[in-house]
Amino acid sequence: MKFSSILITALAAVPLPGATAHPKMQDRIREIEHVAARGWDTFDSNQLLGDLRTLNLWQLTSSGRDIKNILQGGGNPQSRERYWAVARLDSNRCRRDTCCVWKYISDDLEALFRGDSGRCSKWARYAIRMGFHDAGTWSLANERAGGGADGSIILAGELSRRENKGISDMGAKYQEVYTKYHDTYGFSDVTYADLIQMGATVATVVCPLGPRVRSWVGRKDSSTPAPPNMLPSPFADADTLIQLFMDKTIGPDGLIALLGAHTTSQQNFVNATRAGDPQDSTPGVWDVLYYQQTLGKAQTPERVYMFPSDINLSQHPRTSPAFQAFAGQGGQGLWNNDYAREYIRLSLLGVNNINSLTECTKVLPQPLDSFQHRDQSRLSKWLDSDDYSPKSKSVSWEVENGDEISTPTDKIPGWTNTRPHRHRNKWGGFTW
């Protein structure tokens, strides 16, 4: 989605001249209008990657053509293609079919990622984060230094880096999967680079309402450490983050689309005193409530924790329009499609054999288009609590695991009386 279309959507939601509005909001509107008038969003968000930059059209495979089209803003980045008549894992037919082994891997990961509540589990969140943290170390300005979707986050010991804290357990899970299919069953084409990116797209669609992102395999592994300090800080200012992502060929709109993955998360390290707190009030569900609550368009329970960087981006004139669009009417479908397109780009950073990849989207689980929390009253009580005692922590763990909350509503510690929700206003503060 281009900046201009998001801008139109965002401006349509703000007060007309003469309408009552906070003075700071009027200033913000003028900033956005000023940006539009200057036309300063000249960043090319349709840049090609890898070998697609040098190949002629007649040299492209079907995968090369499809990926090129998606990277340039065309095509469909989502697919519901199914895999019919999957061969037995130990058969020659399976070995001749590149996608066959990935169907078995996808099924194993789906079982890990889907909690008994129907929400996606902490493993799904780890997998999504690891997909970004492996690929996101690449930069166009410094591509000779390496990095990108090459499996080095596991193979080069990058999981020990500070920015990867909390996902080392997912690295261990991937090592188990790799050993099973690459070593034991002898599928030598299975790589960590593909496993990490396929794991991220499986996790995304397992999360209720999540998109089914088109997925390719055939990436090459690397044990060369990726350049350090290439991932975003949760405390960064908006301009720093915008530039960081443009260096990865991802524009401001794409940055905000990818940022929405925070909707499923529960943070444990950004603010350790509030470990287990989600970033919107539907952890484990892939919905646009994250955008609405970060903007202050929806009520925000006590336990929801927002990264300073996310708040900064929600208020910046170059990224606020995307926040507004995804938070608005029709935002779920708009965001899912934009996220899928940007994640395909992200998953191909640093990949130089894109034309030889094989599409295996058909191995992914089918998406869940609607969802209701069976434990809504217990979830709401926990979200409205500021209690961090061991008993409350046990509820956090259940939510993290994707389990249905087992503690009765009247036994969840914290606030015992009905209390008003906090509501983040458009200027970063809270009202009640």
Side-chain angles (χ1 to χ4, degrees):
M1 180 192 300
K2 297 299 184 185
F3 178 80
S4 57
S5 61
I6 290 185
L7 181 66
I8 291 169
T9 304
L11 288 178
V14 301
L16 295 171
T20 301
H22 192 284
K24 289 187 178 180
M25 173 53 75
Q26 296 287 12
D27 291 342
R28 183 63 68 193
I29 294 169
R30 282 193 290 271
E31 277 187 276
I32 294 173
E33 291 172 334
H34 181 56
V35 171
R38 288 175 57 193
W40 72 324
D41 192 49
T42 58
F43 175 79
D44 179 9
S45 60
N46 295 328
Q47 298 176 64
L48 293 177
L49 298 169
D51 52 344
L52 297 185
R53 293 178 291 187
T54 58
L55 294 173
N56 295 314
L57 185 62
W58 61 269
Q59 296 175 294
L60 297 181
T61 63
S62 59
S63 286
R65 287 192 300 271
D66 285 350
I67 293 171
K68 180 178 180 178
N69 196 21
I70 290 169
L71 292 177
Q72 292 186 320
N76 190 346
Q78 301 184 71
S79 171
R80 297 205 177 194
E81 179 189 5
R82 291 180 179 272
Y83 197 167
W84 303 103
V86 183
R88 288 197 336 267
L89 182 63
D90 59 356
S91 67
N92 289 330
R93 180 183 163 199
C94 189
R95 293 188 180 279
R96 291 192 298 267
D97 179 355
T98 300
C99 296
C100 180
V101 65
W102 289 103
K103 173 59 176 168
Y104 287 91
I105 293 172
S106 175
D107 288 348
D108 284 357
L109 294 177
E110 179 185 5
L112 180 66
F113 295 159
R114 195 183 305 279
D116 65 19
S117 67
R119 296 185 288 263
C120 56
S121 70
K122 64 181 181 181
W123 298 105
R125 300 164 208 173
Y126 295 165
I128 294 168
R129 187 174 168 219
M130 185 175 285
F132 173 75
H133 282 216
D134 191 39
T137 53
W138 181 89
S139 167
L140 181 61
N142 194 30
E143 59 181 315
R144 290 187 179 181
D150 60 6
S152 65
I153 193 171
I154 293 174
L155 294 169
E158 294 165 23
L159 286 171
S160 62
R161 295 180 179 180
R162 181 178 180 181
E163 61 264 31
N164 294 324
K165 188 174 184 179
I167 54 174
S168 58
D169 287 348
M170 191 67 236
K173 289 289 184 183
Y174 279 145
Q175 288 176 309
E176 292 175 8
V177 174
Y178 182 88
T179 298
K180 176 180 177 180
Y181 291 101
H182 182 278
D183 298 343
T184 303
Y185 283 102
F187 286 90
S188 58
D189 289 342
V190 172
T191 65
Y192 278 111
D194 284 337
L195 184 56
I196 291 167
Q197 297 307 320
M198 185 66 78
T201 54
V202 171
T204 299
V205 75
V206 166
C207 294
L209 311 187
R212 195 165 183 264
V213 182
R214 291 178 68 178
S215 304
W216 283 265
V217 298
R219 297 170 185 80
K220 300 182 183 299
D221 278 342
S222 173
S223 57
T224 301
N229 306 316
M230 297 297 291
L231 298 174
S233 164
F235 302 101
D237 63 85
D239 287 320
T240 297
L241 293 170
I242 291 168
Q243 186 59 55
L244 179 70
F245 276 77
M246 288 197 301
D247 288 344
K248 304 179 194 302
T249 77
I250 297 170
D253 299 342
L255 162 58
I256 300 309
L258 293 172
L259 193 69
H262 287 170
T263 187
T264 67
S265 79
Q266 286 171 261
Q267 71 84 30
N268 284 289
F269 303 106
V270 175
N271 185 339
T273 66
R274 296 183 55 177
D277 280 0
Q279 290 178 258
D280 72 12
S281 54
T282 51
V285 178
W286 193 274
D287 60 19
V288 295
L289 195 56
Y290 160 80
Y291 293 107
Q292 295 168 353
Q293 290 183 330
T294 305
L295 283 169
K297 289 179 174 290
Q299 290 181 331
T300 306
E302 178 70 26
R303 196 174 284 272
V304 170
Y305 180 81
M306 300 172 187
F307 288 174
S309 56
D310 293 9
I311 296 172
N312 293 340
L313 286 166
S314 74
Q315 298 172 355
H316 193 279
R318 204 169 185 187
T319 44
S320 177
F323 260 90
Q324 298 283 351
F326 297 143
Q329 186 175 5
Q332 185 73 50
L334 182 67
W335 172 45
N336 277 1
N337 205 59
D338 281 13
Y339 179 89
R341 186 178 303 279
E342 294 302 328
Y343 195 82
I344 290 170
R345 173 176 291 278
L346 178 72
S347 73
L348 297 172
L349 297 183
V351 178
N352 294 311
N353 63 322
I354 294 174
N355 196 46
S356 65
L357 301 182
T358 300
E359 182 169 6
C360 289
T361 310
K362 62 186 180 181
V363 310
L364 302 180
Q366 290 297 313
L368 187 63
D369 296 324
S370 62
F371 182 74
Q372 287 187 331
H373 300 276
R374 296 192 298 267
D375 54 357
Q376 183 63 69
S377 63
R378 285 161 281 170
L379 180 64
S380 296
K381 176 67 180 300
W382 172 72
L383 287 166
D384 249 346
S385 167
D386 65 353
D387 185 287
Y388 291 89
S389 65
K391 186 174 290 186
S392 181
K393 185 60 180 176
S394 68
V395 177
S396 298
W397 287 335
E398 287 182 309
V399 176
E400 285 194 36
N401 290 330
D403 297 337
E404 189 170 343
I405 298 172
S406 61
T407 306
T409 303
D410 61 356
K411 299 296 184 182
I412 295 175
W415 300 98
T416 56
N417 299 315
T418 302
R419 60 192 296 273
H421 289 275
R422 294 195 307 172
H423 185 77
R424 179 175 292 281
N425 60 42
K426 298 182 184 299
W427 307 282
F430 283 106
T431 57
W432 292 92

